[in-house]
């Protein structure tokens, strides 16, 4: 089957996820900068999650751009990823509203781990459907960035119980790694 519907559905779900996250931001009560200070954990959590959701959206766009079709496995793998992404507003709010306490930071990280695992499953389903000699397979390569990210997320969840700021720092590090535009797919598309 064609890929258009899965792309449109994914775009819609991602837009809803971002909308729900922004609705968690509350208007500060007060007229000066000091009114903003109590909101910094919630705002920082929102920015981090917005970037993470945006990274997934960007990567999904690139992946689907290099494939011609999808099948039932790909549809279910994509829904699996969208499920874990759809929990991002809850885990974001949990972490921000609890001022980065260890358990909420770990729960946020568990969601990131499950998103990364789901992304890997989706990539494997697309690879299986399209084969080794396709633009998709060549662009994905061995997905070293994905494997490193998953490892860092797991380490972050565990290290959060040593110090939650280590976990937060690792979440930011992974976002920074992916924030740099991923040229793997662009190089293959340009050829």
């Amino acid at each position: 089957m064609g890929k258009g519907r899965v792309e449109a559905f994914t775009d819609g779900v991602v837009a809803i996820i971002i909308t729900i996250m922004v609705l968690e931001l509350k208007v500060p009560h007060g007229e000066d900068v000091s009114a903003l200070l109590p909101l910094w954990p919630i705002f920082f959590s929102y920015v981090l999650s917005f970037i993470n959701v945006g990274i997934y959206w960007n990567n999904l766009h690139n992946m689907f751009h290099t494939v011609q079709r999808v099948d039932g496995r790909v549809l279910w793998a994509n829904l699996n990823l969208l499920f874990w992404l759809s929990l991002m507003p809850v885990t974001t709010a949990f972490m921000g509203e609890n001022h980065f306490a260890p358990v909420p930071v770990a729960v946020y990280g568990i969601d990131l781990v499950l998103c990364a695992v789901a992304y890997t499953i989706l990539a494997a389903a697309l690879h299986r459907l399209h084969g080794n000699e396709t633009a998709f397979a060549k662009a994905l390569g061995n997905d070293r960035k994905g494997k490193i990210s998953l490892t860092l997320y797991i380490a972050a969840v565990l290290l959060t119980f040593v110090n939650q700021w280590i976990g937060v720092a690792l979440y930011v590090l992974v976002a920074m790694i992916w924030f740099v535009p991923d040229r793997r797919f662009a190089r293959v598309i340009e050829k």
Side-chain angles (χ1 to χ4, degrees):
M1 63 189 86
K3 61 183 180 171
R5 290 197 66 204
V6 73
E7 289 176 302
F9 180 74
T10 299
D11 288 348
V13 171
V14 168
I16 290 168
I17 291 167
I18 289 172
T19 301
I20 291 169
M21 285 190 318
V22 79
L23 292 175
E24 286 295 320
L25 298 178
K26 305 299 181 213
V27 176
H29 298 290
E31 301 173 356
D32 54 12
V33 176
S34 66
L36 297 172
L37 292 178
L39 301 177
W40 83 263
I42 295 167
F43 183 72
F44 177 80
S45 297
Y46 168 75
V47 170
L48 181 60
S49 293
F50 183 92
I51 290 169
N52 276 308
V53 171
I55 288 166
Y56 277 105
W57 177 81
N58 193 353
N59 287 327
L60 288 170
H61 169 76
N62 288 332
M63 282 178 29
F64 283 116
H65 190 71
T66 60
V67 299
Q68 288 72 44
R69 64 191 186 286
V70 296
D71 64 2
R73 287 183 180 149
V74 171
L75 293 176
W76 281 110
N78 191 60
L79 282 173
N80 180 39
L81 174 56
L82 293 176
F83 173 78
W84 297 113
L85 283 173
S86 74
L87 294 179
M88 193 69 59
V90 176
T91 60
T92 300
F94 186 46
M95 183 171 68
E97 290 181 16
N98 289 292
H99 297 260
F100 301 98
V103 169
V105 171
V107 168
Y108 182 82
I110 290 167
D111 189 28
L112 291 173
V113 167
L114 293 169
C115 287
V117 168
Y119 179 83
T120 303
I121 292 168
L122 175 58
L126 284 166
H127 189 265
R128 181 177 37 238
L129 179 64
H130 291 85
N132 290 329
E133 299 305 317
T134 61
F136 171 77
K138 290 175 184 171
L140 188 63
N142 67 5
D143 195 23
R144 192 174 76 209
K145 245 170 121 169
K147 292 172 184 168
I148 291 169
S149 299
L150 181 57
T151 302
L152 288 173
Y153 284 148
I154 292 168
V157 170
L158 298 174
L159 291 171
T160 291
F161 295 105
V162 174
N163 183 312
Q164 70 268 29
W165 297 110
I166 297 171
V168 172
L170 288 174
Y171 303 151
V172 170
L173 175 63
V174 173
M176 288 171 43
I177 290 169
W178 284 97
F179 197 73
V180 174
D182 192 351
R183 300 287 303 155
R184 294 179 298 173
F185 287 95
R187 279 192 296 268
V188 169
I189 293 168
E190 289 168 0
K191 287 182 181 179

